[in-house]
Each structure stands twice: as C-alpha cells, then as structure tokens.
Amino acid sequence: MSNSRAGSQNRDDEENAQLLNEQSYIEPNVKQKKKKFFAVAIGAFLITVSLAAIIFEISSLLYARKNKRNVILLISDGFGPASETFGRSYYQFVNDLPWDQIAPLDKMLVGTSRTRSSSSLVTDSAAGATAFSCAIKTYNAGIGVHPDQTPCGTILESAKAKGILTGLVVTSRITHATPASFSAHVINRNMESEIAAQQIGDYPLGRQVDLMFGGGRCYFLGNSTEGSCRTDTRDVMSDAKKQFHYLNAIRSLPILGLFTLDHMSYEIDRDPATEPSLKEMSAKAIELLTKATEDSDKGFFLMIEGSRIDMAAHSNDAPTHAHEISAYYETIDHVREYVDNHPNTVMISVSDHETGGLALSRQNDIAKYPQYQWFPEILQRVNMSSYLLAKKINEYNEKDKVEFIKNSIREELGIDDFTEDDVKYLSKPEEFEMAYEYYLSNMTSARALIGWSTHGHTAVDVNLYAHGMNAEKLAGNHENTHIGDFIIDFLGLDLSSITLLLNKDNSSFHLSNYKDISQFNIDNLAHYHHGHQL
C-alpha cells in the first residue's frame, strides 16, 4: 500500500471514528429526549384523563342537580268553582281592588278534575285524596287502600324510596283523611289512632315522612293523658320524638310540629301568638326542604292542604269560608314565587271535592222576585266563626244568657236586626251543638244572599290549577287519578314496587283493631264528620 493510500485510509478511519464518536454522543441524547417525551406524554394523558373524569363527575353532578325536581301539591279541601268566584269577589272587596282584578289562583287555571270515587258519584276526602296519592279510585272512607281493601303504594312513599324528601302541611289534624292518604294505610278513615302510629314509622316501610306540620296532637297522646283522643294507652308522642325533632327544634329534618290538640283554629279565630298560619307553616316547610336538598341531586315532595276551607263549608259558614280561602290565596302567592325562582319545581292546586253546594245568590222569599246580587260587606262584619260562637253560647250558663246571646250576635256576627225568635232558639238547651252553629251560619248567609244546598259534599268537577315545570300537561279535564299519574311521571316513581312491599306476606297491618268498631273515636273534639258512616 502506498503512503498516499495509507494516509487516505487513516483520514477515512479518523473521520469514521469521529463520526462514530459523534453518533455515540448524539444517540444517548435522542434516547433521553424520547424517554422524556414519552414520560411527559403519558403524564399529560393521565392528567387529561383525570381532568376529564373530574369534569365528567362535576358535569354529571351539575346535570343531576339541574335536573332534580320538586313537587308541591296543594289541596284546597272542599273548594269548588263557586268558591273560587266567591273568594275572588271577597278578595276584591276587602282589599278595595278593581272589579277585573284576578285572584292568585286565577293566574294558574289549566283545567278541571272529576271527583267521583269507586263507591259513589259523590266522593269523601279519603277516597278523593287516595286518588291523588295512589292514582287509583277507591271507596269512600278508604285511606291508601284499593277497593278490595289491600294497601296501595303512595307517591310520597315511592318518592321517599327514591331518595326524595317528603313533607305534609295541613290545618286539620295530621291524622285526618287527606294527609293520612299519603302517609298511612287503613280501611277506614276513623282509625286515626292507627294512622298516627304509621305516620311515625310503625308499619312495614318505616318512617316515610320527613316533615309534618299541622294539628292533631291528641292522637299521639295515650288515653291516660289529658286531651288524648286515642283509643289505647300508647304514648305515640314519645315514640315520635325518637324519630323526629319536635316543634322548637326546627332547624333540621326530620321534624314534627303539632300545634294544637285537635284541628287548628279557623283563620278568623286564629291567635297568631299560639298558632302559625297556613302560609307560615308552608314557608317554613319549603325553607327546610330546600336547605336539606341544596347539595343533593334529589328534590322534595310536599303536600299542603287548606283543610278548613272544607270544614267551614260543611257548616255553611260563609265568612269563615272566605277567611280560609284568603289564607289559601296567601299560601298560593308564596309558593308561586318560590316556583318562579326554582324552575325545576311544579306546583299543583286542586280540590278533592266541593262542599256545601255554594250558590252566590239566594232567594229568601219565594213569593218575591229574586234579587240578582249578593253582599260581601255582610261577611266583612263577622269577627268569629259560627263554630266558636256556638260553642261559647252553648257553654255559657250564667243568668244573663239572653243578653250574652244578643251581645254576641251584635259583636261577633255584626248583626243588629236579629229577631226574638233567633234569641229564643239560641237560648234553649241543645244537645246537638252543631245545630247552633248551623243556625248562626244561616243568619249571616241569609243576609248576604248566599245559598247552600247541603252540609255535605257534592259531585261537581273542581278546578285544576298548575304552575311551573310541565304544568301545561295538566291542561283540560282530568280524572282525579290523573293528578297522581302526572306526579308519578314527573318524578319517575314506581308505585307498584311499594305496593308489593306493603302487601308482602299477606300483611294485615292496615286491619289493626278494625273488628271492634266501637273503638273508633269519631271526631270527639271537633265538629267535622260527626257520626261519619262506617
């Protein structure tokens, strides 16, 4: 090999060696960069996946919360179409409003509801409320049961099973027909001792109601306790306090507030220092339920009943009926405002039936041509319900009873043109206290030119009102069971599974003590449904 070729080879070897050396230095750097790249990429991927999972979880939670639903079902017991006209006219008169001013319910009218039960064209409150709660027709006096007397699952119980909070607000006893039909199962409405026990959870499903406000403490007290109207010695109140916060501890659920022994007072007689109004109870219930569900994807179901609208109509007591309607209007206004601020909520207002056969005109003298008018100013003068005034007259035993009666009529009813026959009738001993009540009510109605056809219920269709989410689906004429169906669909409930649980192993809890009919206490502290037929 020549020197020139050898030198050329050496240079090539050196260049190759240098190239190899450079590659040897470059290759480790590339490997490190690739490793770093993959590490960063994997980290970024994991972070992205984690963020996506977090975002999905947050989005799902926000979606669930956004789509959680509340139902507020308001029941105006005994309130028919004539009562709405009556209430609107009185509302306009006492508030000095123009003739075309609409009442709170007028803003929400969507249709009408048919009211017959499975046993009669004229329903009672038990069958009427069960049509809402179970979405079935049942017989008069049946509470949360089918016509064959087996229990039916209610919308309240199904809502509770789904994690939805539940509440009942009434101005009657909490054990009365309407609230009982959502929270208990008995074959006769007069089994209020059993209803009270079930409402605190003493039945197959356990406690189902998270909030109860109303009257009726007497059915929670053993019959050895003063003021009790139970048929046994059981102290249900002691058991209730193990399940609920009671009265003054109203900051959290579950909560029980029973403000009176029997029904709560009529609005016209109510002492604000001792009894809350329907609006106040409803507002507190909504506040508590809203707070308890604010961090949840589940909403609430609340039933509110203007119970004593009906009771005033049973007595044909027009001014007391008017005051109860006004109190219901106030509640409607409050709930409507809540619904406007909570678009995931629907409110429904409906009656179980009409009571009294109210007529806004009256012909006192059939020999004369009838007057085409009625007078709300007559009602505005009244300061006391006929029920309470009758009770005071009946219990007054002093020598000056005649003067007491005359002064009471003037001061409490605002009537000066009463007759000696009026005073004579009210002065005689009367075992049937309601006879005084009816008489006093008629004294007012006759002067106001208001007529009544009955002291019981009627079969007319009642108005159906709704506002809020999906309210338009209730437009038109419906069977009362369709209101229950609407709520079932709105909340996605399954009543059949609840019905199966209630009837498991041929359960007979709802038949407790029924064989001894004499054990029933039929409204022994109040004037509503005396002698109700079993």
Side-chain angles (χ1 to χ4, degrees), residues 26-27 35 56 61 66 73 76-77 94 104 131 142 156 182 223-224 272 301 344 367-368 410 419 442 525:
I26 291 172
E27 190 170 349
K35 287 182 180 179
F56 177 78
L61 183 59
K66 181 181 178 182
L73 174 62
S76 46
D77 199 330
V94 297
L156 184 146
F182 289 85
N223 61 12
S224 60
F301 168 78
N344 59 334
K368 295 181 179 180
R410 291 190 191 100
T419 67
N442 187 59
L525 291 183

Side-chain angles (χ1 to χ4, degrees), residues 2 50 64 71 95 118 160 205 210 215 293 303 314 348 400 413 419 482 490 498:
S2 65
S50 299
V71 172
N95 292 294
S118 70
K160 183 66 175 175
L205 301 183
D210 296 301
T293 58
M303 191 282 289
H314 272 287
I348 304 160
D400 62 339
L413 299 186
T419 67
H482 294 174
F490 185 83
I498 303 299

Side-chain angles (χ1 to χ4, degrees), residues 360-422:
L360 298 179
S361 186
R362 174 169 173 160
Q363 188 171 358
N364 289 320
D365 188 345
I366 61 172
K368 295 181 179 180
Y369 194 77
Q371 300 179 56
Y372 292 158
Q373 54 187 336
W374 72 275
F375 306 109
E377 59 266 31
I378 299 294
L379 310 186
Q380 191 181 30
R381 301 172 190 166
V382 178
N383 298 311
M384 183 181 289
S385 70
S386 293
Y387 162 70
L388 188 56
L389 182 56
K391 190 175 183 65
K392 289 187 174 184
I393 289 174
N394 195 44
E395 293 175 352
Y396 193 86
N397 293 314
E398 302 299 322
K399 293 181 179 180
D400 62 339
K401 186 164 186 174
V402 169
E403 287 304 310
F404 175 79
I405 291 171
K406 290 180 178 179
N407 290 333
S408 295
I409 294 172
R410 291 190 191 100
E411 294 172 8
E412 308 302 351
L413 299 186
I415 295 174
D416 292 318
D417 61 342
F418 54 84
T419 67
E420 288 301 318
D421 286 341
D422 293 330

Side-chain angles (χ1 to χ4, degrees), residues 262-279:
D262 194 55
H263 300 307
M264 297 183 72
S265 297
Y266 281 123
E267 182 64 21
I268 196 172
D269 302 326
R270 182 177 65 86
D271 180 358
T274 59
E275 292 181 52
S277 67
L278 180 64
K279 176 186 174 181

Side-chain angles (χ1 to χ4, degrees), residues 80-81 113-116 121-122 352-355 458-462:
S113 171
R114 303 192 287 270
T115 61
R116 66 184 295 172
L121 288 172
V122 183
D352 45 1
H353 53 75
E354 193 272 351
T355 300
T458 70
V460 300
D461 289 1
V462 295

Side-chain angles (χ1 to χ4, degrees), residues 15-55:
E15 287 175 0
N16 289 334
Q18 185 177 0
L19 183 59
L20 283 172
N21 288 335
E22 287 176 357
Q23 288 178 340
S24 68
Y25 286 111
I26 291 172
E27 190 170 349
N29 288 337
V30 170
K31 288 181 180 178
Q32 288 176 7
K33 286 181 179 180
K34 285 183 178 179
K35 287 182 180 179
K36 187 174 182 180
F37 172 77
F38 283 121
V40 170
I42 291 170
F45 174 75
L46 293 174
I47 291 171
T48 301
V49 170
S50 299
L51 284 173
I54 293 169
I55 291 170

